[in-house]
């Protein structure tokens, strides 16, 4: 949840509400181990950021009525059999219609109807999910090994060239 950029008077001219990654790796998880905590901490210190979580997967509910727009950020366990079953509300922010400058208000509770009656339920995870994850890990390891081999090969070649010229 971001307020900004600031206008000429220094007040935010817009807000931005971004949904977390649902099925792909969260932004903070795309880095080396432990970097996600540093990234979360750094993002939360940015003055225009009203709320952030760059390390968990989830979804956002945007509830709109005449008086306000409310955003709810829900996080889920990506390895749960029913990914929507164990959702946890991480933050709720609202924006009042007609309010200027635009700004988020902290809301204590999410909407009561989180399950949204009448919508289709979340499908179960595929039975071969473990195999799919193992294949993905194999591809990642293979790509990482190729990158390391390329870097090491380039370093060895550069060292050889350097020794010939000195």
């Amino acid at each position: 949840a971001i307020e900004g950029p600031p206008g000429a008077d220094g007040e935010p001219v817009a807000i931005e509400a971004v949904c977390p990654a649902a099925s792909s790796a969260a932004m903070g998880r795309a880095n080396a181990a432990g970097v996600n905590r540093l990234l979360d901490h750094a993002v939360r210190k940015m003055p225009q950021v009203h709320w952030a979580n760059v390390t968990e997967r989830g979804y956002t509910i945007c509830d709109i009525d005449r008086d306000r727009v409310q955003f709810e950020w829900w996080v889920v366990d990506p390895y749960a059999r029913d990914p929507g079953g164990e959702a946890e509300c991480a933050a709720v922010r609202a924006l009042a219609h007609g309010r200027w400058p635009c700004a988020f208000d902290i809301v204590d509770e999410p909407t009561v109807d989180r399950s949204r009656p009448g919508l289709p339920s979340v499908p179960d995870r595929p039975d071969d999910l473990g195999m799919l994850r193992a294949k993905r890990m194999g591809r990642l390891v293979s790509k990482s090994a190729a990158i390391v081999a390329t870097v090491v090969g380039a370093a060895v070649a550069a060292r050889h060239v350097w020794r010939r010229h000195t």
Side-chain angles (χ1 to χ4, degrees):
I2 299 170
E3 295 176 354
D9 60 358
E11 297 292 338
V13 298
I15 59 107
E16 181 177 5
V18 180
C19 183
S23 61
S24 60
M27 182 172 66
R29 300 279 182 189
N31 298 302
V35 173
N36 58 334
R37 288 191 179 98
L38 295 173
L39 185 58
D40 257 340
H41 182 73
V43 168
R44 288 183 181 139
K45 287 194 168 269
M46 299 170 81
Q48 72 273 24
V49 176
H50 204 272
W51 181 83
N53 181 335
V54 297
T55 58
E56 296 183 89
R57 293 181 181 150
Y59 58 91
T60 302
I61 294 175
C62 178
D63 191 22
I64 303 171
D65 66 24
R66 289 182 170 270
D67 300 320
R68 55 103 180 104
V69 177
Q70 181 167 302
F71 300 95
E72 301 171 11
W73 288 271
W74 292 81
V75 294
V76 297
D77 177 2
Y79 302 106
R81 183 81 181 144
D82 174 10
E86 298 296 321
E88 177 184 331
C89 188
V92 183
R93 300 292 184 266
L95 177 67
H97 285 306
R99 176 175 166 187
W100 193 258
C102 54
F104 283 111
D105 295 316
I106 297 174
V107 178
D108 293 329
E109 295 291 324
T111 54
V112 177
D113 61 341
R114 179 185 81 82
S115 63
R116 303 293 187 197
L119 292 180
S121 62
V122 176
D124 285 339
R125 299 284 181 150
D127 291 333
D128 62 345
L129 185 59
M131 182 192 64
L132 294 171
R133 286 196 172 127
K135 283 183 176 181
R136 179 178 180 272
M137 183 58 72
R139 286 192 306 271
L140 291 174
V141 168
S142 176
K143 286 180 184 178
S144 297
I147 290 170
V148 168
T150 302
V151 169
V152 169
V156 169
R159 183 174 178 216
H160 179 70
V161 168
W162 176 258
R163 284 189 173 189
R164 291 180 76 199
H165 286 77
T166 57

